[in-house]
């Protein structure tokens, strides 16, 4: 496992804190998504978290509140984190894309998956979050997060359960996006996949507990 201090990601020029990063994200016009969103949704959580969770993009509720994973998918994530033994207050939660991409269906704003260009344009903010927080391990929640972190498209079924290494040595685990569970209709399938999701989060729980032990021993 890489030492937090050995990580050497480039900071964006002039950004030395999460507050400065949030300001830059709020002013971002690097792709057109800012035009229809209420606001950018910066990552949130423990400043020196050993574990970072990366989702796809804010949803309707996140766009309105400015906070990541506070809507229905966030509730599934919170329950799974608790079942895996991960206090949300101990991790840093963010998204690959910081603005809500959607289309109008009547009065409803329906989520639209960000494309490769939007993921690429937003990567600078995720990389800056990584450079500031310096997590030891990152969990990619779904294909968009995996694509941003790994720089290539992956099939989740092929890589879940593995410990991958990002270019700088950070451990990465890929799992499903919690909103996938919300879309499942069959209760038995949903329960089985929920358990698999919790199992995918357990390696991150291990990282957290071993980092606690080394902190307490120091
Ligand atoms: N889905 C995401 O990927 N991120 C959020 O913040 C909310 C829903």
């Amino acid at each position: 496992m890489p030492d937090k201090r050995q990580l050497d990601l480039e900071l964006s020029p002039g950004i030395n804190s999460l507050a400065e990063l949030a300001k830059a994200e709020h002013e971002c016009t690097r792709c057109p998504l800012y035009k229809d969103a209420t606001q950018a949704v910066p990552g949130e959580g423990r400043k020196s978290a050993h574990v970072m969770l990366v989702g796809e993009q804010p949803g309707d509720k996140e766009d309105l509140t400015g906070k990541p994973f506070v809507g229905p998918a966030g509730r599934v994530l919170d329950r799974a984190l608790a079942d895996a033994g991960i206090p949300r207050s101990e991790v840093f939660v963010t998204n690959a894309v910081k603005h809500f991409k959607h289309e109008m269906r009547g009065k409803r704003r329906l989520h639209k998956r960000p494309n490769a260009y939007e993921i690429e344009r937003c990567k600078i903010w995720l990389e800056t979050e990584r450079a500031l927080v310096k997590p030891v391990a990152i969990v990619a929640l779904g294909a968009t997060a995996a694509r941003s972190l790994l720089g290539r498209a992956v099939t989740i079924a092929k890589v879940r359960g593995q410990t991958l290494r990002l270019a700088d040595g950070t451990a990465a685990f890929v799992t499903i996006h919690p909103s996938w569970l919300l879309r499942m209709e069959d209760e038995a399938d949903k329960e089985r996949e929920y358990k698999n999701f919790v199992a995918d989060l357990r390696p991150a729980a291990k990282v957290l507990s071993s980092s606690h032990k080394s902190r307490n021993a120091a």
Side-chain angles (χ1 to χ4, degrees):
M1 211 162 274
D3 187 298
K4 278 165 84 67
R5 281 156 305 189
Q6 285 169 6
L7 300 177
D8 195 20
L9 285 166
E10 282 281 305
L11 275 178
S12 306
I15 297 181
N16 296 299
S17 69
L18 289 171
E20 286 173 357
L21 173 57
K23 184 170 181 295
E25 288 167 348
H26 284 302
E27 290 166 359
C28 183
T29 57
R30 290 173 54 82
C31 82
L33 293 186
Y34 75 95
K35 291 183 189 165
D36 292 328
T38 308
Q39 58 192 317
V41 178
E44 186 183 73
R46 201 184 172 100
K47 189 167 89 235
S48 56
H50 287 243
V51 170
M52 179 178 278
L53 303 178
V54 183
E56 182 186 79
Q57 61 160 0
D60 184 72
K61 188 93 186 282
E62 290 80 14
D63 170 80
L64 297 173
T65 58
K67 292 183 173 299
F69 281 104
V70 291
R75 283 194 287 282
V76 177
L77 178 62
D78 285 348
R79 182 178 153 222
L81 287 175
D83 286 343
I86 301 175
R88 181 157 167 171
S89 58
E90 290 288 316
V91 298
F92 191 87
V93 179
T94 191
N95 283 301
V97 169
K98 309 301 186 206
H99 284 108
F100 178 35
K101 180 175 182 181
H102 58 278
E103 64 188 0
M104 296 305 295
R105 190 76 57 81
K107 286 190 178 156
R108 292 181 62 210
R109 302 191 302 169
L110 294 189
H111 160 277
K112 269 189 96 178
R113 185 179 261 211
N115 61 35
Y117 172 76
E118 291 149 355
I119 296 168
E120 199 52 38
R121 294 298 287 163
C122 217
K123 204 165 164 169
I124 188 173
W125 306 132
L126 180 57
E127 294 207 334
T128 308
E129 284 174 322
R130 288 177 54 200
L132 290 167
V133 177
K134 300 183 177 62
V136 173
I138 302 185
V139 182
L141 302 168
T144 298
R147 182 182 190 125
S148 178
L149 289 161
L150 296 165
R152 62 191 162 93
V154 292
T155 306
I156 293 178
K158 282 199 183 143
V159 291
R160 75 189 297 189
Q162 297 177 21
T163 304
L164 306 177
R165 292 282 163 198
L166 301 184
D168 66 349
T170 307
F173 310 112
V174 177
T175 183
I176 54 124
H177 191 284
S179 65
W180 182 58
L181 297 172
L182 292 171
R183 292 194 297 273
M184 296 186 93
E185 283 172 12
D186 184 274
E187 281 307 315
D189 288 350
K190 196 187 251 192
E191 191 48 32
R192 187 192 61 242
E193 289 306 329
Y194 173 77
K195 285 189 179 139
N196 289 338
F197 180 42
V198 172
D200 285 347
L201 295 173
R202 289 202 203 282
K206 261 198 185 156
V207 169
L208 270 188
S209 70
S210 58
S211 66
H212 280 153
K213 278 185 205 139
S214 52
R215 227 183 253 157
N216 292 341

